[in-house]
């Protein structure tokens, strides 16, 4: 398995500002993903964070709004640009664990945009 | 469109009962199927999963059945307990491709004592 850590645990920001969410894995992982909680219970895949190249975004998410960096195999950053109240949610990073097909999740970052 | 669908937003069952959670998917390329348990505002935790080369996997009180021709998989929970009260998310992925996990909308399960 793999352990994922996220920082910060929660953040409150004003509309129009930007903020960064960091995700760190305790071992090198090939695939890293970012999810947004929706409908208060499920998760929507935002993008795949690719090491050393641009992230691959899902429909409804753009690199201008949610730029993602992945400088190495243990680290990724999600930025929320020009934050709006509609961006208030919990954001999770995830990764497959080693040779297993199982996917593990970070604890999440709760974002509130005022 | 929604690639993975859970038809029941919520379900209530008496303690000790058997319950079945259902999930339908659209993508023929999915080859990995999983059920996660999630508490409000917490990250999901993996309950049980199967690859497409098996049609059933059992782990204690939890069994997952896969019907590839019907693009359907289900989670059976026996001897339900109040501690099973949570949101259950089904998910599927094409592990041979992008490996990205796609979730259903979730079923909120309540086990009453």
């Amino acid at each position: 398995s793999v352990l994922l850590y996220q920082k910060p645990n929660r953040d409150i920001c004003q509309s129009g500002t930007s903020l960064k969410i960091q995700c760190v894995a305790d071992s090198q992982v090939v695939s890293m993903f970012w999810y947004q909680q929706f409908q208060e219970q499920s998760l929507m895949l935002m993008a795949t964070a690719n090491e050393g190249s641009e992230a691959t975004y899902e429909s409804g998410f753009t690199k201008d709004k949610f730029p993602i960096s992945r400088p190495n195999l243990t680290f990724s950053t999600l930025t929320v640009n020009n934050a709006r109240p509609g961006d208030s949610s919990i954001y999770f990073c995830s990764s497959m664990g080693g040779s297993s097909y199982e996917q593990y999740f970070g604890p999440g970052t709760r974002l509130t945009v005022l | 469109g929604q690639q993975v669908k859970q038809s029941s937003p919520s379900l209530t069952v008496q303690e000790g009962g058997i319950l079945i959670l259902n999930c339908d998917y659209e993508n023929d390329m999915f080859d990995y199927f999983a059920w996660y348990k999630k508490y409000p505002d917490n990250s999901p935790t993996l309950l049980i999963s199967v690859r497409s080369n098996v049609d059933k996997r059992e782990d204690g009180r939890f069994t997952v059945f896969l019907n590839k021709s019907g693009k359907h998989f289900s989670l059976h929970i026996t001897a339900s307990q109040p501690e099973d009260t949570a949101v259950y998310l089904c998910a599927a992925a094409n592990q041979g491709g992008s490996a990205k996990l796609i979730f259903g909308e979730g079923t909120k399960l309540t086990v009453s004592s």
Side-chain angles (χ1 to χ4, degrees):
Chain A
S1 66
V2 63
L3 286 176
L4 297 170
Y5 304 91
Q6 287 183 237
K7 191 170 69 172
N9 294 329
R10 56 179 61 229
D11 202 353
I12 300 173
C13 67
Q14 297 292 328
S15 287
T17 61
S18 296
L19 67 120
K20 289 185 190 298
I21 302 170
Q22 296 179 355
C23 177
V24 180
D26 68 343
S27 60
Q28 292 187 340
V29 292
V30 174
S31 306
M32 239 175 186
F33 306 94
W34 285 97
Y35 288 83
Q36 183 186 61
Q37 180 169 285
F38 81 100
Q39 296 178 357
E40 298 186 347
Q41 62 182 36
S42 188
L43 275 67
M44 181 74 73
L45 177 65
M46 300 171 69
T48 302
N50 302 306
E51 190 242 347
S53 64
E54 279 204 356
T56 306
Y57 291 86
E58 299 298 312
S59 175
F61 299 95
T62 67
K63 68 177 181 180
D64 289 337
K65 174 68 175 177
F66 298 103
I68 290 169
S69 71
R70 179 117 190 258
N72 56 53
L73 291 175
T74 62
F75 186 80
S76 179
T77 299
L78 167 71
T79 300
V80 182
N81 280 336
N82 190 24
R84 295 295 174 206
D87 298 324
S88 298
S89 185
I90 302 177
Y91 294 84
F92 297 96
C93 65
S94 77
S95 177
M96 285 170 63
S99 60
S100 161
Y101 291 104
E102 298 173 352
Q103 196 161 129
Y104 299 88
F105 287 80
T109 297
R110 175 181 278 278
L111 171 64
T112 303
V113 183
L114 303 177
Chain B
Q2 188 71 24
Q3 293 192 60
V4 180
K5 290 185 178 183
Q6 292 177 251
S7 53
S8 301
S10 63
L11 196 63
T12 300
V13 66
Q14 282 277 86
E15 182 177 5
I18 298 172
L19 66 103
I20 300 173
L21 302 173
N22 293 299
C23 191
D24 297 295
Y25 64 94
E26 297 178 354
N27 191 340
D28 286 327
M29 299 301 293
F30 286 153
D31 57 6
Y32 171 82
F33 306 90
W35 285 94
Y36 282 78
K37 184 176 182 181
K38 187 178 182 302
Y39 294 107
D41 298 344
N42 281 9
S43 56
T45 54
L46 181 65
L47 265 179
I48 190 169
S49 64
V50 290
R51 306 280 321 276
S52 57
N53 56 346
V54 299
D55 55 14
K56 175 184 173 182
R57 184 178 171 207
E58 188 174 340
D59 184 1
R61 297 188 296 114
F62 305 97
T63 303
V64 58
F65 293 90
L66 173 62
N67 175 354
K68 284 219 76 177
S69 62
K71 296 185 187 177
H72 176 86
F73 60 109
S74 60
L75 175 68
H76 294 220
I77 305 176
T78 58
S80 54
Q81 305 163 1
E83 305 86 83
D84 295 330
T85 295
V87 172
Y88 289 79
L89 300 169
C90 64
N94 173 12
Q95 295 290 1
S98 65
K100 54 188 183 182
L101 198 59
I102 307 298
F103 284 91
E105 305 94 327
T107 297
K108 188 172 184 179
L109 172 67
T110 303
V111 180
S112 57
S113 54

